[in-house]
Amino acid sequence: QSVLTQPPSASGTPGRRVTMSCSGSYSNIGRHTANWYQQLPGTAPKLLIYNFNQRPSGVPDRFSGSKSGTSTSLAISGLQSDDEGDYYCAAWDDSLNGWVFGGGTKLTVL
Amino acid sequence: EVHLVESGGGLVQPGRSLRLSCAASGFTFDDYAMHWVRQGPGKGLEWLSGISWNSGRIAYADSVKGRFTISRDNAKNSLYLQVNSLRAEDTAMYYCAKDIGSGKGINDYGMDVWGQGTTVTVSS
């Protein structure tokens, strides 16, 4: 059971918008930055969003992040079949003195 | 281009040890904190350990504290993870990852570029 809670699955049709949430607490998202990682099947994770809403160079602006209190969300617009994979949030946790990942959300493009 | 290549994984018996290595290139290695993260078969990501640019700050996940040791050799652009007293539940893909922020600590920004991983299988 991770300290960051993500829904296990999400889905959408091509071209539509999907959002996924990551719920934490004051000791992690409430006090520290949070990031989102995309893991496509059979590949290593890739940084998608850092510091809640910053995109690394090369990441399309279809991907966006936001923060609200002790939660963070990832939105993907213009959904594509290539977006199918697992999405993880991560944040530093003061209580555990380490980085924690959410359990991951598996995105299916219908 | 930033490149991270892990090595040292393999099939090992319970109770034995391994030393995982991560060779870095394409960036100023000694400017960045580094991390190890693992992923068990069909499971999610688990952060294991992080080390600051000068090894001055090190942290471990509770699940591996006392059994795993992270280190780095800035002269060789290399990161290491000594894994001892291996258990079946340590079976996983082990990734090294570079931190996002230059000159920052291990808790400021998190991981950006990841290697392709090295597989550790613990079985008798």
Side-chain angles (χ1 to χ4, degrees), chain B residues 10-62:
Chain B
L11 174 62
V12 61
Q13 293 179 327
R16 304 298 290 265
S17 300
L18 279 177
R19 189 194 196 202
L20 307 182
S21 299
C22 172
S25 60
F27 66 103
T28 305
F29 183 71
D30 57 10
D31 271 354
Y32 292 87
M34 298 291 294
H35 304 267
W36 285 100
V37 178
R38 72 181 176 186
Q39 185 170 35
K43 296 189 177 181
L45 301 172
E46 179 187 18
W47 177 85
L48 300 176
S49 183
I51 184 169
S52 63
W53 65 277
N54 64 351
S55 305
R57 185 173 180 194
I58 288 173
Y60 297 96
D62 287 343

Side-chain angles (χ1 to χ4, degrees), chain B residues 62-122:
Chain B
D62 287 343
S63 60
V64 302
K65 203 172 291 183
R67 292 193 303 126
F68 289 13
T69 303
I70 192 172
S71 62
R72 65 189 294 162
D73 185 336
N74 288 343
K76 295 183 178 180
N77 288 352
S78 293
L79 176 72
Y80 306 101
L81 187 68
Q82 178 70 37
V83 296
N84 297 331
S85 304
L86 282 161
R87 309 164 180 166
E89 53 265 36
D90 294 319
T91 294
M93 179 73 81
Y94 285 71
Y95 296 101
C96 72
K98 169 187 163 292
D99 200 88
I100 297 170
S102 169
K104 300 296 184 181
I106 59 175
N107 62 324
D108 290 306
Y109 288 108
M111 298 123 268
D112 60 357
V113 179
W114 301 55
Q116 288 306 302
T118 186
T119 302
V120 173
T121 303
V122 184

Side-chain angles (χ1 to χ4, degrees), chain A residues 54-71:
Chain A
Q54 302 299 302
R55 276 188 312 276
S57 60
V59 174
D61 59 6
R62 301 190 296 111
F63 297 91
S64 61
S66 61
K67 177 190 179 182
S68 177
T70 57
S71 295

Side-chain angles (χ1 to χ4, degrees), chain A residues 8 11 19 29-30 39 50-51 54 56 59 72 87 91 95 109-110:
Chain A
S11 62
T19 61
I29 293 175
Q39 188 175 33
Y50 68 97
N51 196 19
Q54 302 299 302
V59 174
T72 184
Y87 292 79
S95 299
V109 180
L110 302 170

Side-chain angles (χ1 to χ4, degrees), chain A residues 1-2 6 12 15-16 22 24 34 42 44 46 48 65 69 73-74 78 86 93-94 97 106-108:
Chain A
Q1 195 82 359
S2 176
Q6 297 182 248
R16 301 301 293 263
C22 172
K46 169 190 171 184
L48 211 54
S73 295
L74 173 70
D86 297 315
D93 188 280
D94 285 334
N97 195 39
K106 186 174 188 64
L107 174 65
T108 301

